[in-house]
Amino acid sequence: MRAFGFLSFGHYGGSPAQGGISARQMLHDAMDIAVGADEIGVNGAYFRVHHFAQQSASPMPLLSAVAARTQRIEVGTGVIDMRYENPLYLAEEAAALDHIADARVALGVSRGSPEPAERGWEAFGYTGSEDPRGADIAREKFAVFLDAIRGEGMARAAERPYGAPVSPGQDLRIEPHSPDLIRRIWWGAGSRESAEGVGTMGLNLMSSTLLTEATGAQFGDLQAEQIERYRAAFRAAGHTHAPRVSVSRSVFPILTEQDRLLFGMRPGAEADQVGIIDGHRSTFGRTYAGEPDQLIAQLQADAAVQAADTLMLTIPSQAGVDLNLHILRSFAEHVAPALGWRPNAEGPVQGDPVS
């Protein structure tokens, strides 16, 4: 690990009198947390995408606002649900965001996670899936999205083109186009096999907050094997650039008595969790909470954290700006330097060569 960012689920809802926040407040808090994190030196601001839930959804307005208000921090998603997307429109939005952000985008996409709605993507107009989880249309649309991001022709000019200096029948790419954006596209993989597919495509790997596997191995070891298999597939496919890899963890440094009251571990919380999700027996990563020296030792022993270039810290975004910046500042000042962290002022995060 040499970079870290925060991953926000963007929760809102509940009665304001009982401490709940509105969608408006959540979005403004997200921007303020990102601005403060940028000043601390945090490397990335990433947001989950969920539909039909009181959480962050359509990400591009928020990411554009964050990009416009910050200087160095990477802005991205973890992850966009491709089942709900028009791939060409998403490619246009992604390219525009990349220009606004001056190439600070880390756009994570995937099939998407389980959701409240029954085949909710069909309400958005995307029908035809023969998979109850919609994986087939997500993969099909992702392939089209990648072609569009690469600048391939996605339509043909009319016989009498109107409003653009093009020739009749010419292949037309989406506009705007950001030539290097393809190097900043990530796929969120929830298994070792799906990670191999990401490596074959030559994309960046965003390892999920859970793995749809349970072998008895610790989550960090299982995830480290996933990363190794990804890099082996990347290498075997002949890709030569240095890809990025991220993992997510909940990490809470305890420096004050308030930290201890808020984040002190309950019995059993320090262990990995195993459960059923999407019909698969799955492993969920543990929560880390403790004094800095304890956290440093635990994270140094986490094989996946050591194998990745970027650690995403899941934050309790609904708890407000001040508390979340306290968590990020505590990690930056007391834990991250011992793990090899390089603040965002030192430049963009680089991937690891796989040759």
Side-chain angles (χ1 to χ4, degrees):
M1 181 211 115
R2 55 182 168 277
F4 82 92
F6 69 84
L7 176 62
S8 171
F9 283 64
H11 292 287
Y12 61 91
S15 167
Q18 301 298 319
I21 63 173
S22 65
R24 178 185 182 278
Q25 186 65 52
M26 178 274 291
L27 291 165
H28 281 270
D29 283 358
M31 289 185 281
D32 290 341
I33 292 170
V35 169
D38 190 36
E39 294 170 354
I40 292 170
V42 176
N43 307 90
Y46 314 102
F47 299 91
R48 291 293 296 265
V49 179
H50 289 282
H51 300 284
F52 298 109
Q54 291 182 320
Q55 299 178 41
S56 184
S58 177
M60 293 304 180
L62 175 58
L63 294 180
S64 295
V66 169
R69 290 186 57 188
T70 56
Q71 299 297 317
R72 295 176 297 273
I73 198 168
E74 190 172 67
V75 298
T77 51
V79 290
I80 292 174
D81 189 331
M82 281 303 299
R83 298 173 296 184
Y84 285 81
E85 297 295 330
N86 177 314
L88 298 190
Y89 188 61
L90 180 62
E92 289 180 339
E93 288 187 313
L97 171 64
D98 201 45
H99 289 308
I100 291 170
D102 294 325
R104 289 184 287 129
V105 168
L107 204 66
V109 298
S110 81
R111 184 213 75 195
S113 62
E115 54 172 6
E118 179 70 25
R119 299 177 71 93
W121 57 90
E122 293 183 348
F124 277 51
Y126 301 118
T127 59
S129 173
E130 297 180 1
D131 183 334
R133 300 179 301 163
D136 50 356
I137 63 169
R139 294 279 184 179
E140 291 168 5
K141 291 200 283 185
F142 184 59
V144 175
F145 170 73
L146 290 181
D147 286 344
I149 288 294
R150 292 187 180 103
E152 296 184 14
M154 306 308 297
R156 287 189 179 278
E159 287 301 314
R160 294 182 179 180
Y162 177 78
V166 298
S167 303
Q170 177 182 336
D171 284 341
L172 302 177
R173 70 185 186 188
I174 59 100
E175 296 289 353
H177 176 63
S178 181
D180 296 327
L181 178 57
I182 189 65
R183 291 285 185 254
R184 293 186 291 282
I185 302 299
W186 305 59
W187 181 265
S191 69
R192 290 170 292 178
E193 286 72 20
S194 60
E196 290 176 338
V198 182
T200 299
M201 289 188 288
L203 303 175
N204 303 303
L205 174 66
M206 193 170 282
S207 188
S208 177
T209 51
L210 63 90
L211 292 176
T212 53
E213 299 169 296
T215 66
Q218 291 188 351
F219 180 77
D221 294 337
L222 195 61
Q223 202 171 39
E225 182 188 346
Q226 180 197 41
I227 294 169
E228 178 54 38
R229 288 171 67 164
Y230 156 77
R231 288 179 170 144
F234 187 99
R235 184 167 52 246
H239 303 295
T240 57
H241 61 282
R244 297 274 305 281
V245 174
S246 72
V247 298
S248 302
R249 296 288 186 273
S250 295
V251 182
F252 300 104
I254 294 178
L255 300 173
T256 67
E257 193 57 36
Q258 181 187 33
D259 293 337
R260 195 172 304 280
L261 290 171
L262 290 173
F263 310 124
M265 302 291 284
R266 295 182 296 276
E270 72 280 1
D272 295 339
Q273 303 296 313
V274 175
I276 303 297
I277 188 168
D278 242 10
H280 295 276
R281 193 163 182 265
S282 304
T283 307
F284 303 76
R286 55 168 292 185
T287 294
Y288 291 98
E291 296 180 358
D293 289 348
Q294 178 186 8
L295 292 180
I296 290 167
Q298 291 174 335
L299 292 170
Q300 286 176 336
D302 187 316
V305 171
Q306 295 303 304
D309 57 75
T310 300
L311 172 62
M312 296 184 180
L313 302 182
T314 56
I315 61 169
S317 56
Q318 68 274 29
V321 176
D322 291 343
L323 178 60
N324 281 287
L325 288 180
H326 168 69
I327 294 169
L328 296 174
R329 185 176 291 107
S330 296
F331 188 80
E333 293 179 355
H334 299 280
V335 180
L339 301 176
W341 175 54
R342 301 174 187 173
N344 62 33
E346 295 189 16
V349 184
Q350 301 298 318
D352 293 304
V354 297
S355 57

